[in-house]
Amino acid sequence: DAKTTQPPSMDCAEGRAANLPCNHSTISGNEYVYWYRQIHSQGPQYIIHGLKNNETNEMASLIITEDRKSSTLILPHATLRDTAVYYCIVRVGSSNTGKLIFGQGTTLQVKP
Amino acid sequence: DVKVTQSSRYLVKRTGEKVFLECVQDMDHENMFWYRQDPGLGLRLIYFSYDVKMKEKGDIPEGYSVSREKKERFSLILESASTNQTSMYLCASSPPTGSLKQPQHFGDGTRLSIL
């Protein structure tokens, strides 16, 4: 599975959009990009995933560049409850293992 | 919503004890996973199971075993607990990984301390 690179920390003002970048320059054609977040003392929470098209759900939007070497998770109106560690993961969608490899993630601090 | 329930949030055991961590999911998922999470090391896969009575070693299986007698339940067993097994343990489940729109869903974890 390809490796990802994320900034260790970011701040965002409450009510503003939070844009979290992720580099995955060695991604293969059949690898999906997944985003999870982990709020302190809880298990990781699935947010969104995609292959090459942009995706949107009730939590966030995922923008994947045309060459698929990077992506951005967008939380459109960040709240204090969005303060968490955000993980960008790539994995093969058809892998029998299906294991997720979590890196160090980005600690997002949403400030009032 | 998918619900993955781990039997204990916090657990304290002694060195040498046999420890059982239980995980139950309510979505009829084929795949279930056990990870441990340690500061600076991220999540590491211990074991996974893709069907009842089937199991596969993950990256760090030493000192652990698993049991999957029913589809909804996946147990992690520490045969003889040691202090280096003090960690946060996370269970996850998902449909078969060929189902591309179906991610893994996690429980809230069990924080295990071995004294």
Side-chain angles (χ1 to χ4, degrees):
Chain A
D1 292 333
K3 184 177 177 180
T4 62
T5 303
Q6 299 177 254
S9 64
M10 292 181 64
D11 290 342
C12 177
E14 188 178 19
R16 306 295 294 266
N19 298 287
L20 292 94
C22 180
N23 286 324
H24 31 80
S25 58
T26 60
I27 192 169
S28 300
N30 59 351
E31 287 187 312
Y32 281 67
V33 180
Y34 284 75
W35 282 85
Y36 283 77
R37 73 181 182 183
Q38 190 170 23
I39 296 169
H40 183 62
S41 296
Q42 297 182 19
Q45 177 189 22
Y46 165 76
I47 301 172
I48 198 166
H49 77 290
L51 182 62
K52 49 185 166 183
N53 297 320
N54 297 338
E55 301 285 345
T56 296
N57 63 20
E58 64 278 4
M59 289 182 68
S61 294
L62 174 60
I63 308 298
I64 303 174
T65 58
E66 193 167 342
D67 63 7
R68 303 208 324 119
K69 293 185 177 182
S70 65
S71 61
T72 301
L73 178 75
I74 301 172
L75 307 178
H77 305 287
T79 71
L80 298 178
R81 287 180 293 180
D82 291 322
T83 292
V85 180
Y86 287 77
Y87 297 99
C88 169
I89 300 159
V90 296
R91 74 173 177 97
V92 177
S94 59
S95 165
N96 286 331
T97 301
K99 72 176 180 181
L100 299 175
I101 301 175
F102 284 71
Q104 297 305 309
T106 296
T107 298
L108 175 67
Q109 182 73 47
V110 180
K111 298 186 174 180
Chain B
D1 279 354
V2 175
K3 186 70 174 177
V4 178
T5 303
Q6 295 184 230
S7 53
S8 305
R9 289 298 305 274
Y10 301 94
L11 204 55
V12 180
K13 296 291 183 181
R14 296 206 173 273
T15 303
E17 279 193 71
K18 191 169 187 176
V19 181
F20 293 85
L21 302 183
E22 306 286 346
C23 175
V24 177
Q25 50 94 4
D26 66 356
M27 286 301 292
D28 202 36
H29 285 167
E30 283 78 3
N31 293 347
M32 295 189 75
F33 306 82
W34 275 106
Y35 295 85
R36 63 178 282 179
Q37 184 175 28
D38 301 286
L41 297 177
L43 273 74
R44 293 178 290 168
L45 182 66
I46 305 171
Y47 267 97
F48 69 99
S49 168
Y50 52 88
D51 203 350
V52 176
K53 297 190 185 295
M54 304 301 290
K55 61 184 179 184
E56 293 285 342
K57 293 180 180 179
D59 298 318
I60 51 164
E62 296 78 19
Y64 303 94
S65 62
V66 290
S67 172
R68 187 141 180 229
E69 297 296 318
K70 294 184 177 181
K71 192 174 186 179
E72 68 271 18
R73 186 179 297 270
F74 192 35
S75 302
L76 180 70
I77 304 155
L78 284 66
E79 298 291 344
S80 177
S82 64
T83 55
N84 62 12
Q85 292 178 309
T86 291
S87 186
M88 168 75 100
Y89 289 86
L90 290 159
C91 175
S93 75
S94 75
T97 46
S99 304
L100 300 177
K101 274 293 198 180
Q102 304 298 328
Q104 290 182 26
H105 293 272
F106 286 81
D108 277 336
T110 296
R111 191 167 293 279
L112 175 65
S113 296
I114 307 296
L115 304 179

